[in-house]
């Protein structure tokens, strides 16, 4: 798939950098929406750790590496299609218009970025 961004690791999901609540520790469950959760793979990056450079590479202050269990891969979609979809909300595909959105013919996954959809191997 030419638009694929990430693919599931051996833990059964993709790992993405996400903003997490203050005090998040590795192993904590992160409620992202009513239908999607993650598991912190690293502690959340504190301001002090970020300032000292004592944080995992690629993470920003307030972020952690988060495993999205069951999400097999992610792919790019037009940001304009996803503009009306809340972050971590379900994303649907509409056959007639060939577009993604908050409603449609089939659920394809969840919005995990401005133009990124995280999808399960089979909904």
């Amino acid at each position: 798939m030419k638009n694929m961004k990430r693919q599931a690791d051996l833990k059964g999901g993709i790992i993405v950098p996400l903003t997490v609540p203050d005090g998040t520790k590795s192993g904590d469950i992160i409620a992202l929406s009513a239908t999607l959760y993650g598991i912190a793979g690293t502690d959340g990056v504190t301001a002090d750790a970020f300032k000292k450079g004592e944080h995992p590479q690629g993470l920003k202050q307030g972020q952690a590496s988060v495993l999205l269990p069951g999400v097999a891969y992610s792919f790019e979609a037009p940001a304009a299609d996803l503009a009306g979809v809340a972050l971590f909300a379900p994303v649907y595909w509409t056959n007639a218009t060939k577009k993604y959105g908050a409603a449609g013919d089939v659920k394809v996954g969840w919005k995990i970025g401005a133009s990124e959809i995280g999808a399960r191997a089979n909904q």
Side-chain angles (χ1 to χ4, degrees):
M1 176 184 276
K2 74 175 187 170
N3 296 334
M4 188 178 302
K5 288 191 66 151
R6 305 174 213 275
Q7 191 168 2
D9 70 350
L10 296 176
K11 294 178 181 102
I14 62 171
I15 298 172
V16 295
L18 296 177
T19 300
V20 295
D22 288 344
T24 295
K25 297 293 182 195
S26 177
D28 286 355
I29 300 292
I30 310 294
L32 300 170
S33 71
T35 60
L36 183 65
Y37 73 95
I39 302 170
T42 62
D43 293 349
V45 177
T46 64
D48 189 49
F50 188 76
K51 185 176 179 182
K52 293 178 181 178
E54 299 173 345
H55 61 286
Q57 183 177 354
L59 295 180
K60 299 175 184 172
Q61 182 178 327
Q63 289 186 327
S65 292
V66 178
L67 171 69
L68 302 178
V71 176
Y73 59 94
S74 71
F75 58 93
E76 287 288 325
D81 285 8
L82 300 182
V85 180
L87 189 60
F88 306 121
V91 176
Y92 295 82
W93 171 257
T94 300
N95 287 322
T97 61
K98 306 278 190 244
K99 292 188 179 216
Y100 301 97
D105 297 326
V106 63
K107 179 181 167 190
V108 294
W110 295 267
K111 180 178 176 179
I112 61 173
S115 62
E116 186 176 4
I117 296 172
R120 294 196 184 223
N122 191 352
Q123 296 292 319

